[in-house]
Amino acid sequence: MLTRFENSPTVDSLLTVAPHFIVNTDIEAEEWVANAALGLVKDSLILGRPNGIIAIADSFYISDSQATGIFVVDRNGHLVRKIGKRGKGPGEFLSLRGLEYNGTHVFVKDRGRVQIFKESMDYASSFSVSGMGTLGVSPGYMLLECPEVNKWIICARSTVPPFHWFEFKQLLPVLDLPDRTGENSYIVSISPEGNRVAVGYKGLPYIFVYDDQFTHLKTIRFEGKDVRDWTPTGIPGGAPPEVLNPGTFSFIEWVEFIDSRYLIASVHRTDNYIIDVSENEHQLVRKFVLRPTNNPEERKNIPARDFLFHRDRLYVASPWAEYVYGYSFDL
């Protein structure tokens, strides 16, 4: 039975277009313990709020919202160099929001703009953005918040100079719901080859999967006790209603294609699901939570902000974790 939270013809129309795949949130989560950490104190690399990670060859590039640069780290976790400084000029940053790599260029989300770098991290270009949403990239296009949010939330822009907008590529209609600050915030991820796109509204328990022609292939729908008990609206931080307007809690925090077949969805801040979204397999592969150490006194799980599958490990960046942690990973 479909769990509903809002009466929305827009959401209903999205749910009727494609077949549904159900993710059962009631299954028990595996507990994963990190066996690697990127960012060693002896190298003077102190991460405050790491929110993005990419790999180029065997080097890792880490963005941190409290830092004024991008940290480059080797496979052993040692700091190699720092790129950038605080400022508004080319190659300078105000507040890093994450970074993506499409095989030829690095795209860095900063406050109010996206900066584009070559693999060598030489500055190439930049353009202004108005929103705080996530960024997805493929070899040919990137997906991010539309320049003027009126009918559509996510628009496509070329990853080839001069990086122009594609007017005909638009995803996720603006919801026909009262604005409580969160209904129209979104998540987005593109598979490495660009043949699969996963998007969704953070405040709703659905992920919509498209092909590279933006045909809606399937809807991933989360069901179970966690969904039924989840309260989508409330007062942030428990403040009294007269202090703050009601907000919308995020059900889905992050989605990331780890390769062309598997998608990871992070929900409820700590639960993570690996979902097979290939042509012939539509199934939940694993549900897991992430631990930084095997210390029995360390009970805190890590809420994931970004994932990177590199060689034999799944690396996780979290604004609430001391390091970028790596986990043995084999599908």
Side-chain angles (χ1 to χ4, degrees), residues 17-34:
V17 169
H20 291 207
F21 167 73
I22 307 299
V23 172
N24 178 14
T25 64
D26 291 337
I27 66 173
E28 185 175 354
E30 303 172 14
E31 188 177 272
W32 291 8
V33 178

Side-chain angles (χ1 to χ4, degrees), residues 1-8 10-12 14-15 20-23 172 175 177 185-188 198-209 216 218-223 227 230 251-253 255 263 265 267 275:
M1 181 177 178
L2 175 62
T3 302
R4 298 190 62 179
F5 301 99
E6 303 281 2
N7 291 320
S8 168
T10 301
V11 174
D12 290 346
L14 286 168
L15 295 177
H20 291 207
F21 167 73
I22 307 299
V23 172
L172 285 192
L175 290 180
L177 296 171
S185 62
Y186 68 89
I187 48 171
V188 61
V199 298
Y201 304 96
K202 280 191 172 183
L204 296 175
Y206 316 111
I207 299 173
F208 307 108
V209 181
H216 189 173
K218 67 171 83 56
T219 296
I220 298 169
R221 203 175 83 207
F222 294 88
E223 291 289 349
V227 181
W230 176 62
F251 181 84
I252 305 172
E253 297 288 340
V255 292
L263 176 75
V267 304
I275 304 165

Side-chain angles (χ1 to χ4, degrees), residues 96-143:
L96 290 164
R97 313 290 186 184
L99 71 173
E100 297 285 343
Y101 174 58
N102 77 336
T104 59
H105 290 82
V106 177
F107 301 80
V108 182
K109 187 79 181 292
D110 193 21
R111 183 195 301 167
R113 63 177 173 170
V114 172
Q115 295 194 66
I116 305 171
F117 298 83
K118 300 175 183 178
E119 279 191 358
S120 60
M121 293 305 293
D122 293 322
Y123 175 83
S125 184
S126 68
F127 58 89
S128 298
V129 293
S130 58
M132 303 282 290
T134 56
L135 169 69
V137 301
S138 77
Y141 62 91
M142 66 185 96
L143 292 176

Side-chain angles (χ1 to χ4, degrees), residues 286 309 312 328-331:
R286 287 177 180 171
F309 180 47
D312 59 346
S328 295
F329 186 71
D330 181 14
L331 280 177

Side-chain angles (χ1 to χ4, degrees), residues 19-23 189-193 195-199 207-211 215 217-222 255-265 273-285 331:
H20 291 207
F21 167 73
I22 307 299
V23 172
S189 182
I190 308 172
S191 65
E193 288 78 10
N195 62 339
R196 290 288 182 272
V197 177
V199 298
I207 299 173
F208 307 108
V209 181
Y210 296 79
D211 64 13
T215 300
L217 301 176
K218 67 171 83 56
T219 296
I220 298 169
R221 203 175 83 207
F222 294 88
V255 292
E256 188 73 26
F257 278 97
I258 55 175
D259 60 17
S260 295
R261 179 171 180 174
Y262 295 105
L263 176 75
I264 292 184
Y273 296 85
I274 300 177
I275 304 165
D276 187 333
V277 294
S278 61
E279 289 285 357
N280 301 318
E281 299 289 338
H282 310 304
Q283 61 179 342
L284 174 66
V285 179
L331 280 177

